[in-house]
Amino acid sequence: MGSIEPYETASGRRYRVRYRRPDHRQAAKRGFRTKREAERYLISVESQMLTGDFIDPASSRVTVGELAPDWLDVKRMKLKPSSYRHLDDAWRVYVEPRWGAVQLGAITHSDVQKWITEVSAGTAHTVRRYHARTAQQGNRPKSATVVIRAYGVLAAVLDVAVRDRRIPRNPARGVDLPRKGKKRHVYLSHEEVDSLARAAAPEHATIVFVAGYTGLRWGELSALRVRDLDLERRRLSVNENAVRVGSELHVGSPKTHELRSVGFPNFLAEPLGELASGKEPRALLFGDGDDHIQRPRSSGASRSWFMRALTDAGLPRMTVHDLRHTAASLAIASGANVKAVQRMLGHASAAMTLDVYADLFDDDVDAVSAALDRARTTALVSKPRPEAPPGEV
């Protein structure tokens, strides 16, 4: 049981509540103006301890900046370097400047909502840790992806605080977030892929074809080794993924951590065989020796081989990753089912494939309705009509 005791201050009599926490250590809260207020507080504390809902007020005085490093360390161990960097950037650029020094118990739902609005508008205080050009863009509105990622970091750290019983609930949950608009995919036809490959330098033509007909991510394509090529079965084994994070190249497992085998059309057997000819099994299929080919830039006024090829072929501006979308489009148009496309692209599930490429299945909706109409007509025509009752004409 707790106790209540009065004490004198310059402003008059006040009351102090003493009680034992669940760990049996002594705790106290002072400053109550009336004994009734102190009694209500003591009853509330004892009730929370009986139900297991007690949270020590001292625990909520920990700041977000003190709790976040441990959460980031866990994410660093679990995520690939490229994915972790996005979280680390969001923390350092957007979350830490606003919330790093704020105590957990002082964060309110409305404060988080205001911050979301400021980040979206580009008016939130951020760390200028990039070059001058990026600093000039600091006050520009931020994309929904940037805002949602920054919010996700704060909300996840506060989730840890809830599980650690530092705060009773997460004040960040339930705020209104900007909607992410789906980027329109660029799909090339067979003729356009052929034109792009011809416009690319001879050493890049095969890369264009492989990306456009297998859907490999650039990191997977650039990490292919001679031993991953099976000319007899027309297969490419995807065992590695090479991603550049800043100036460092990280080679690891594919994005979904699942190894897979991807088929390629017969017309690619000859050029792929020529690339592999004379190389050791562990040598990179594309590139020279152990030097992975670099992803061609597609931003701004880039003059990469890929951008020059697009211009020469008279094709719209796109990224090399859009060739992955083209592969999905061509596969679906050829009659491949969703499960086959999922395995080809290395998606985690068929549901993800349907979500990403829902627009490619619009024709299926028409086909289903037409098939239902034919089935109904056939069923009604083949079913004999009932005979009229006697005496009726």
Side-chain angles (χ1 to χ4, degrees):
M1 293 290 293
S3 62
I4 298 173
E5 58 187 36
Y7 64 95
E8 300 297 330
T9 70
S11 301
R13 176 168 290 192
R14 296 290 185 268
Y15 293 86
R16 178 189 294 112
V17 175
R18 295 185 185 277
Y19 59 91
R20 288 191 180 277
R21 299 182 306 190
D23 60 4
H24 303 297
R25 291 196 296 175
Q26 186 78 26
K29 183 175 176 62
R30 53 185 291 170
F32 297 100
R33 291 180 178 273
T34 67
K35 187 175 182 180
R36 184 179 295 274
E37 288 180 1
E39 289 173 342
R40 281 200 296 262
Y41 178 77
L42 179 57
I43 291 172
S44 173
V45 167
E46 290 179 338
S47 174
Q48 290 172 7
M49 284 192 283
L50 284 173
T51 59
D53 296 328
F54 175 77
I55 293 178
D56 184 2
S59 299
S60 66
R61 290 198 285 271
V62 173
T63 65
V64 175
E66 292 175 283
L67 202 59
D70 289 341
W71 179 81
L72 288 169
D73 285 342
V74 172
K75 292 301 178 183
R76 183 187 288 110
M77 290 188 297
K78 293 178 62 176
L79 298 175
K80 290 181 175 295
S82 56
S83 298
Y84 173 75
R85 182 174 180 176
H86 290 310
L87 295 183
D88 186 54
D89 285 347
W91 162 251
R92 288 190 284 175
V93 177
Y94 298 103
V95 183
E96 186 178 23
R98 171 62 180 88
W99 303 105
V102 180
Q103 293 182 356
L104 298 172
I107 301 174
T108 67
H109 180 86
S110 57
D111 287 339
V112 177
Q113 185 66 73
K114 181 181 178 182
W115 172 67
I116 291 295
T117 303
E118 290 173 347
V119 175
S120 299
T123 59
H125 174 62
T126 60
V127 174
R128 302 290 187 261
R129 70 184 191 86
Y130 296 115
H131 49 70
R133 179 184 174 189
T134 304
Q136 293 171 358
Q137 297 174 351
N139 292 329
R140 294 183 181 179
K142 299 300 183 290
S143 69
T145 299
V146 170
V147 176
I148 293 172
R149 184 180 294 131
Y151 161 78
V153 171
L154 174 64
V157 172
L158 294 181
D159 279 340
V160 173
V162 173
R163 289 194 291 270
D164 288 349
R165 306 193 63 74
R166 297 181 182 276
I167 51 177
R169 63 190 61 84
N170 188 338
R173 293 301 177 187
V175 300
D176 293 327
L177 296 170
R179 290 180 177 274
K180 286 179 65 174
K182 282 194 174 183
K183 182 182 177 183
R184 187 177 180 83
H185 294 153
V186 178
Y187 303 120
L188 301 183
S189 65
H190 292 285
E191 294 79 10
E192 289 171 330
V193 174
D194 196 62
S195 297
L196 180 60
R198 288 201 308 269
E203 64 270 24
H204 297 132
T206 305
I207 296 175
V208 170
F209 280 129
V210 171
Y213 281 94
T214 66
L216 294 186
R217 302 176 178 91
W218 182 265
E220 296 169 343
L221 186 151
S222 64
L224 286 173
R225 300 184 183 276
V226 172
R227 64 189 177 212
D228 299 325
L229 173 64
D230 187 338
L231 290 174
E232 184 176 343
R233 298 179 60 222
R234 303 290 192 267
R235 294 292 185 91
L236 289 169
S237 296
V238 182
N239 299 311
E240 293 180 319
N241 187 47
V243 178
R244 192 170 296 278
V245 180
S247 59
E248 296 184 13
L249 185 71
H250 296 267
V251 180
S253 60
K255 187 172 181 179
T256 55
H257 297 284
E258 287 191 17
L259 309 184
R260 69 186 192 279
S261 179
V262 179
F264 59 83
N266 288 340
F267 79 89
L268 280 174
E270 184 176 346
L272 286 174
E274 291 176 358
L275 280 175
S277 179
K279 292 183 178 180
E280 294 293 327
R282 69 168 306 278
L284 292 169
L285 188 60
F286 298 101
D288 185 19
D290 290 328
D291 294 331
H292 293 75
I293 53 176
Q294 291 197 17
R295 184 192 186 106
R297 294 184 177 274
S298 307
S299 59
S302 172
R303 291 297 298 165
S304 66
W305 65 264
F306 186 72
M307 298 309 293
R308 291 197 304 270
L310 285 172
T311 300
D312 293 345
L315 295 173
R317 193 178 188 87
M318 58 187 288
T319 68
V320 71
H321 189 77
D322 285 320
L323 290 176
R324 176 172 165 83
H325 304 321
T326 289
S329 171
L330 297 178
I332 292 170
S334 69
N337 61 51
V338 178
K339 196 65 181 177
V341 176
Q342 174 219 333
R343 294 183 62 184
M344 179 182 80
L345 298 177
H347 283 166
S349 67
M352 179 180 179
T353 305
L354 283 170
D355 184 54
V356 174
Y357 297 111
D359 55 321
L360 293 177
F361 292 91
D362 284 345
D363 290 343
D364 286 355
V365 175
D366 297 332
V368 169
S369 60
L372 287 172
D373 187 68
R374 289 193 301 271
R376 178 182 181 277
T377 302
T378 301
L380 293 178
V381 170
S382 60
K383 183 177 180 180
R385 297 182 63 181
E387 297 183 3
E392 293 187 11
V393 179

